Amino acid sequence: MDAIDFFSVYIMGSVQQLLGFYFYGRLLHKKIRYYFYILFALCVAVTISMGPNGTMAQFGVFVLLLTASGIFICRSDWKPAILYASLVVEIMQLCYGIINCLLSISYLWMHVFDSKAAGLIFMLSGNILSLLLTGICCYVVWRYILCDQAQEKQYVFLILTPILMIFLMEEYINTVVYGREVVIGSNGSTEHMMNHYQILVIQLLGMASLFCILFAYKKLLQSFRLSTELTLLEQEEHSLNQYVEEAQARYEKTKAFRHDVRNHIAVIKSLLQGNKAEQALGYVEDLADLAEGLSFPCSTNNPVVDVLAGNKLGIAKSMGIHVNCSLLLPYPCGVRDIDLCIILSNALDNAICACRKVEEGQEKYIRVTGRLQGDLLFLEIVNSCNKITAFQKGTGLSNIKAVVEKYQGAMSVKAQRGEFMFHALLIIPG
């Protein structure tokens, strides 16, 4: 029996824990190297041999092992690491409880066999079935429920609390019911035991509740994402209406200028014919100022960005902010106009707001640079800011981040020595 106990506790126990470790990495969307499995198996073996006795303590230690692996091996945030560690352990515990219930019920018909043979069959079948059921449940959770869900750290505790409640309920059943001694009557029936059919129903309801919680969590995240997308669409609509109005205003001014250009030429011609060169030069300078008002402050070769940057940088100029734009973008550049508007409008709004808070006597400036290189689009906005003002991430940067992630890119922000730097990298889809 020592060999059987060793096989059941160490071999099958380690295999089950490694299975949980495999799906734990899948839930975190991380690929774990094989030598980490060996290291984890050694830690599990040490935990089983030297760790505290009792199912609750062992499962608690396993949760800690998984969490530490998620943080230090998978480089995951501690919130999803705790959530998915608890989830994997809870699935393993529920599967163990369900199989234990079924085997306890079936044991009523096994008393006619040899006790040693029945015990061996009971042990082997329990381990194998628990392992199989755990694999099926973990696969369903990973493949069909949480496969496309990002690690929304701010909503982790919404699902962690009910999972821990089910975990404690399951542990209470295993400890109070199956932790007691089993008394076998003369007819093979068990005495002083609770009804295994009732316990089985509770176990199955616990598993069903867990899946319902995960499904509700998935729908909740989808609802939050739809709400974010709706906010982005509303902002896009507002921005588009604003830029359309700006374009219409410029068009009307340009139309009026073109209508009067013949008259302007006639005036200049008359002044020159009358040897009034100074008056003609002054008139030409006035025309140049008028024409400059019709042009865009920032020429990027992209008409949409020209309108947007012209609007924002024109506002900045009127506030006494020095602006410099060296942004060159082909048209089309592979990025949707709406997405460019979201990035640039939010970033420039933040830059203008920061410059307005700059102390008197300090230089106010905004520099916009960017270029398209191959399949990569680089954007950089540098502006002055108040040295003593703490930087806070708001809705604008969240909207930018959503667009950047849409193009599988990355963004970074940094404030130091009175200067704020925003960088964004977008991968142009083929």
Side-chain angles (χ1 to χ4, degrees):
M1 293 298 295
D2 292 339
I4 295 177
D5 291 338
F6 178 84
F7 176 80
S8 176
V9 175
Y10 288 94
I11 304 301
M12 296 303 297
S14 298
V15 171
Q16 188 175 24
Q17 308 296 3
L18 286 175
L19 179 65
F21 185 54
Y22 169 79
F23 281 105
Y24 179 67
R26 291 293 185 177
L27 290 174
L28 289 175
H29 304 288
K30 304 292 183 180
K31 187 176 181 180
I32 303 175
R33 299 183 181 276
Y34 70 92
Y35 47 82
F36 285 122
Y37 285 95
I38 299 175
L39 178 61
F40 188 80
L42 293 176
C43 293
V44 170
V46 172
T47 300
I48 294 174
S49 60
M50 301 180 61
N53 295 325
T55 306
M56 184 66 175
Q58 289 182 354
F59 273 108
V61 172
F62 185 45
V63 170
L64 294 177
L65 284 176
L66 283 179
T67 303
S69 301
I71 296 175
F72 297 106
I73 296 178
C74 300
R75 304 294 182 182
S76 176
D77 188 81
W78 66 273
K79 290 182 180 179
I82 294 177
L83 170 64
Y84 293 135
S86 303
L87 176 61
V88 169
V89 172
E90 174 59 23
I91 291 176
M92 293 171 57
Q93 190 185 33
L94 282 170
C95 293
Y96 169 81
I98 292 173
I99 297 301
N100 205 2
C101 279
L102 293 174
L103 293 178
S104 298
I105 294 173
S106 64
Y107 194 83
L108 298 176
W109 291 274
M110 297 179 64
H111 67 279
V112 296
F113 300 98
D114 180 71
S115 59
K116 291 184 178 181
L120 180 60
I121 296 174
F122 192 94
M123 182 272 297
L124 291 177
S125 59
N127 288 326
I128 295 174
L129 291 176
S130 297
L131 187 64
L132 180 62
L133 184 59
T134 299
I136 293 175
C137 293
C138 288
Y139 179 80
V140 171
V141 171
W142 164 65
R143 184 66 178 83
Y144 298 103
I145 299 181
L146 299 178
C147 60
D148 58 343
Q149 300 303 313
Q151 299 174 7
E152 303 289 347
K153 305 177 183 63
Q154 62 269 36
Y155 309 124
V156 162
F157 291 104
L158 293 178
I159 185 176
L160 183 59
T161 301
I163 286 179
L164 291 178
M165 186 275 294
I166 298 176
F167 179 86
L168 294 175
M169 179 201 71
E170 174 65 19
E171 176 56 28
Y172 176 81
I173 293 175
N174 289 333
T175 303
V176 174
V177 178
Y178 297 106
R180 296 176 178 176
E181 294 183 357
V182 180
V183 180
I184 307 298
S186 58
N187 59 351
S189 62
T190 57
E191 300 176 1
H192 307 294
M193 295 285 294
M194 294 181 65
N195 191 322
H196 290 291
Y197 293 98
Q198 294 178 351
I199 302 301
L200 177 61
V201 172
I202 294 175
Q203 303 273 9
L204 293 174
L205 287 176
M207 182 66 77
S209 299
L210 181 63
F211 276 91
C212 290
I213 291 171
L214 295 177
F215 183 77
Y217 177 68
K218 177 181 180 179
K219 293 299 181 181
L220 180 64
L221 293 184
Q222 291 177 348
S223 176
F224 283 133
R225 289 176 181 174
L226 289 176
S227 178
T228 302
E229 292 177 2
L230 180 61
T231 302
L232 289 175
L233 289 175
E234 291 175 351
Q235 184 183 24
E236 290 171 5
E237 181 183 7
H238 175 73
S239 300
L240 281 178
N241 291 333
Q242 184 178 4
Y243 302 143
V244 168
E245 292 175 0
E246 175 71 14
Q248 289 176 344
R250 289 182 179 274
Y251 174 75
E252 294 296 332
K253 292 180 180 179
T254 304
K255 182 179 179 181
F257 180 80
R258 292 175 58 187
H259 180 270
D260 296 334
V261 69
R262 292 180 179 272
N263 298 327
H264 296 314
I265 294 175
V267 171
I268 295 173
K269 182 178 180 181
S270 299
L271 291 173
L272 292 176
Q273 288 176 348
N275 295 325
K276 299 179 179 179
E278 294 183 359
Q279 290 86 343
L281 181 60
Y283 197 90
V284 170
E285 291 178 352
D286 292 337
L287 285 179
D289 294 337
L290 180 61
E292 184 179 357
L294 299 176
S295 62
F296 295 104
C298 183
S299 179
T300 66
N301 297 329
N302 188 308
V304 176
V305 178
D306 286 347
V307 174
L308 185 149
N311 184 298
K312 299 296 182 183
L313 297 181
I315 294 175
K317 278 186 176 181
S318 65
M319 295 180 179
I321 302 173
H322 178 71
V323 299
N324 183 12
C325 180
S326 58
L327 177 63
L328 294 177
L329 296 175
Y331 187 80
C333 66
V335 179
R336 294 180 60 200
D337 295 337
I338 292 296
D339 296 330
L340 282 174
C341 289
I342 292 176
I343 295 176
L344 292 175
S345 62
N346 282 287
L348 290 174
D349 285 340
N350 291 340
I352 294 173
C353 182
C355 288
R356 291 176 59 185
K357 298 179 181 179
V358 170
E359 298 177 350
E360 292 294 334
Q362 185 179 349
E363 183 184 5
K364 300 180 181 181
Y365 59 87
I366 298 176
R367 295 195 298 267
V368 182
T369 58
R371 67 187 184 280
L372 182 66
Q373 184 174 346
D375 294 334
L376 302 177
L377 174 61
F378 300 91
L379 294 173
E380 179 186 62
I381 297 178
V382 180
N383 61 271
S384 57
C385 63
N386 198 338
K387 295 181 180 180
I388 62 174
T389 301
F391 166 66
Q392 295 180 350
K393 292 185 178 180
T395 305
L397 288 178
S398 299
N399 294 341
I400 295 175
K401 183 179 179 181
V403 174
V404 171
E405 291 178 348
K406 175 181 176 182
Y407 290 89
Q408 307 298 318
M411 61 169 283
S412 66
V413 292
K414 182 171 63 174
Q416 61 179 8
R417 297 190 297 272
E419 187 174 73
F420 183 84
M421 290 170 284
F422 165 82
H423 298 91
L425 172 65
L426 281 68
I427 301 177
I428 308 300

